[in-house]
Amino acid sequence: METDQRDEFRLTLPLMSEDNNKKEYDCTKIEEDESNHSPTSTSFFKTCFNGLNALSGVGILSVPYALATGGWLSLILFFAIATGAFYSGLLIKRCMDFDSNIRSYPDIGEKAFGNKGRMIVSIAMYTELYLVSAGFLILEGDNLYNMFPNDGFEIAGLTIGGKQCFVLIVALVILPTVWLDNLSLLSYVSASGVLASAIILFSIVWTGAFDGVGFRQKGELVNWSGIPTALSLYAFCYCAHPVFPTLYTSMKNKHQFSNVLLLCFIICTIGYASIAVFGYLMFGSGVQSQITLDLPIGKLSSKIAIYTTLVNPIAKYALMVTPIIEAVKNGFPCYLNKRVFGIIIGTALVISSVIVALVVPFFASLMSLVGAILSVTASIVMPCLCYLKISGIYRTFNHEMVVLVVMIFMGIVVTIIGTYSSVLDILVNLQM
C-alpha cells in the first residue's frame, strides 16, 4: 500500500550523470524496482471500501450550505456533476488500459501531453491537497470555537481571537503526525472516513427527527446568484480522481473496476444528497457553511456528529500533506538526510497552512475555490483532455467526442465562473 501511494504521487526524478551521481542513480533504480513489483491483490469489496473512503470527505459538511446557496433546483446540477465525475473516472480507466506502464494520475498526463502534462496534473494534485489541509484547520477552529467560545488571549500586545487560538492549538497537535515516517496507524484511523460520514449523517437526521429541530424549512426553489458557489462546492465532493489509478492497479480483477466506481458513486451521491436535503429542511437558507455549526450543542446526537467531525481531519491531515513532502524530497539528491529534510518540509507545510487558515478563515469560500479551480480541472477537464489525446478520437467526429467536448466546455465555464464567485466572496468577507 505504501508503494502504491508513493507511485501515485511522486514526481519523476531529474536525470543525473552516472559517473558523478552513482549513488543517486542507485536510489532511483531501487525505487523503480519497488514500484514495478508492487502487489496487485485487492479484492472487489476492499477496493469499494477504499473508493468510498476517498470520495467521503469534508464536503459532506458543506453540501447543505451549497443546496441553500443554489436552491432546490441546484440538485439537478449536483446529479449532473456526479454523473460527469463518474464518467471521467471511467475515462481514467480507459487511459490506463492503453498503456500498462501507466500507474498514477501524473503518468496519464505524461502519456497524453509529455512532461508538461505530468507537471500540470501534479501541480493540480498537490495544490488541492495543500488547500484542503488548510481547510481542515479552518474546520477545526470553527467547530471548537462553536463548542467552547472564548475571547482568545494576548501575547506581547498581539491579540489572538478564539477561532485563531483553536487553529493554532490544532496545528500543534497535528505537527508531530507529519514527522512520522510510518503512517500506517493514521491510515487505519483515516480509513474510518466512510464510517465517520455515516455517523454524521445518522446523527444529523436523529437531531432533526427527535431532538426538536424538525424538518419544517421550505427553502427557495432557485437562487441564481448562488449557483456558481453551489456548483463549486458540489464539484469539491468529487475530487478523488487522483486516487483512482492506484485503486485500479491494485485490483485482482481489473475488469470489475467500472462496477466499483458505479457502486461508490451511487452510495456517496445518495449520502451527499441526503445530508444536503435533510440539512436544508432543518435549517433553511440560514444554514452555515458547516452544518455542524448549526446543531444544538446540548444534544447527544449533535455532540457525536461534532466530535466525529473533529477527530477525522486531525487523522487525515498528515496523509494529505505526505504526498507533497515525498514529492519535494524526491526532487533532491538521495544522499541528503531524508528524515531531517522531511521533518523540515512537513513543519514548513503546517506553518504555511496555518497562515492560510488565519488569513482566509472562510471554509465554504476556500473549499468553493478548490472545487472550482482544482476539483473541476482534475476530476472532469483533465481526464477528458487526456482521453481525447491518448485515444486519438479527436481525429474523428462521433457522439463520444461531442460528449467529451461538451464536458470540457462546461468544466471550463464552471471553473471560470466558480473561481470568480469564490474569490469575490473571499474579498468581501475580508473587508467585513
Side-chain angles (χ1 to χ4, degrees):
M1 181 63 69
E2 291 178 1
T3 303
D4 288 342
Q5 190 177 39
R6 183 173 62 247
D7 286 342
E8 173 194 351
F9 290 108
R10 69 178 178 84
L11 292 169
T12 52
L13 291 174
L15 296 177
M16 304 295 290
S17 167
E18 183 177 353
D19 294 334
N20 298 331
N21 296 281
K22 182 69 166 59
K23 187 176 181 181
E24 179 163 1
Y25 170 80
D26 291 340
C27 291
T28 308
K29 183 76 165 58
I30 291 172
E31 189 175 37
E32 290 175 349
D33 289 342
E34 289 176 350
S35 66
N36 291 333
H37 292 85
S38 58
T40 56
S41 58
T42 308
S43 65
F44 176 88
F45 291 104
K46 186 174 181 180
T47 306
C48 285
F49 179 81
N50 291 333
L52 288 172
N53 185 49
L55 284 169
S56 301
V58 294
I60 196 172
L61 303 178
S62 59
V63 283
Y65 174 79
L67 180 56
T69 302
W72 287 111
L73 287 182
S74 69
L75 279 175
I76 298 175
L77 300 175
F78 170 72
F79 290 117
I81 288 177
T83 303
F86 167 69
Y87 180 66
S88 62
L90 294 179
L91 294 181
I92 289 177
K93 171 189 177 296
R94 294 181 188 176
C95 287
M96 299 185 71
D97 288 339
F98 279 103
D99 189 344
S100 60
N101 292 321
I102 297 177
R103 302 187 57 83
S104 68
Y105 201 18
D107 288 344
I108 295 176
E110 184 175 15
K111 177 69 176 179
F113 302 105
N115 290 330
K116 291 183 179 179
R118 185 181 189 89
M119 186 60 65
I120 291 173
V121 170
S122 299
I123 290 175
M125 286 170 47
Y126 298 139
T127 305
E128 183 175 38
L129 290 172
Y130 176 76
L131 291 179
V132 170
S133 67
F136 283 166
L137 297 178
I138 300 172
L139 183 151
E140 296 285 319
D142 288 346
N143 281 278
L144 285 171
Y145 181 75
N146 186 50
M147 295 184 66
F148 309 105
N150 62 78
D151 297 327
F153 58 90
E154 184 175 338
I155 298 179
L158 177 63
T159 301
I160 301 178
K163 290 183 181 180
Q164 292 83 356
C165 174
F166 284 120
V167 168
L168 294 174
I169 292 174
V170 170
L172 291 174
V173 173
I174 287 173
L175 184 59
T177 66
V178 303
W179 296 340
L180 300 176
D181 281 334
N182 187 350
L183 294 177
S184 58
L185 178 60
L186 284 179
S187 298
Y188 286 111
V189 177
S190 175
S192 64
V194 179
L195 178 61
S197 297
I199 291 174
I200 291 171
L201 174 59
F202 178 80
S203 300
I204 290 173
V205 173
W206 183 279
T207 301
F210 303 108
D211 287 342
V213 176
F215 305 99
R216 294 181 288 269
Q217 300 293 329
K218 295 183 178 180
E220 297 181 70
L221 183 62
V222 63
N223 178 17
W224 294 108
S225 62
I227 290 296
T229 299
L231 274 171
S232 301
L233 289 173
Y234 291 153
F236 176 70
C237 296
Y238 297 100
C239 60
H241 287 59
V243 179
F244 291 166
T246 301
L247 299 181
Y248 180 60
T249 56
S250 69
M251 285 195 72
K252 280 182 182 178
N253 301 315
K254 292 181 173 56
H255 66 276
Q256 294 183 330
F257 186 70
S258 298
N259 295 329
V260 169
L261 280 184
L262 180 62
L263 183 60
C264 290
F265 270 88
I266 289 176
I267 293 175
C268 285
T269 299
I270 291 174
Y272 281 129
S274 298
I275 199 167
V277 170
F278 287 129
Y280 195 23
L281 289 174
M282 288 168 64
F283 303 109
S285 299
V287 65
Q288 298 191 55
S289 61
Q290 304 158 52
I291 191 173
T292 49
L293 301 178
D294 293 299
L295 300 178
I297 298 177
K299 303 296 183 179
L300 177 61
S301 58
S302 300
K303 291 181 178 179
I304 292 175
I306 294 172
Y307 288 140
T308 304
T309 300
L310 290 172
V311 171
N312 212 35
I314 291 178
K316 280 191 172 184
Y317 185 96
L319 293 174
M320 297 295 285
V321 300
T322 294
I324 307 175
I325 296 173
E326 291 300 317
V328 176
K329 285 166 60 177
N330 288 331
F332 285 82
C334 68
Y335 55 77
L336 293 177
N337 189 322
K338 293 296 183 73
R339 169 69 173 160
V340 175
F341 198 45
I343 291 176
I344 294 173
I345 299 169
T347 303
L349 285 173
V350 172
I351 294 173
S352 60
S353 62
V354 167
I355 294 174
V356 173
L358 295 178
V359 174
V360 191
F362 317 115
F363 181 79
S365 298
L366 184 61
M367 296 303 100
S368 176
L369 183 63
V370 172
I373 296 181
L374 302 171
S375 297
V376 173
T377 300
S379 299
I380 296 179
V381 176
M382 285 302 299
C384 292
L385 286 173
C386 290
Y387 180 71
L388 273 175
K389 184 66 167 61
I390 294 175
S391 66
I393 67 169
Y394 66 89
R395 301 186 185 97
T396 59
F397 184 82
N398 54 37
H399 69 280
E400 187 177 30
M401 192 187 76
V402 173
V403 171
L404 292 172
V405 171
V406 170
M407 287 181 61
I408 293 170
F409 175 76
M410 295 303 298
I412 293 174
V413 170
V414 171
T415 299
I416 295 173
I417 297 177
T419 301
Y420 173 80
S421 176
S422 302
V423 172
L424 187 62
D425 286 343
I426 292 174
L427 293 176
V428 170
N429 288 323
L430 287 173
Q431 293 174 357
M432 294 178 61

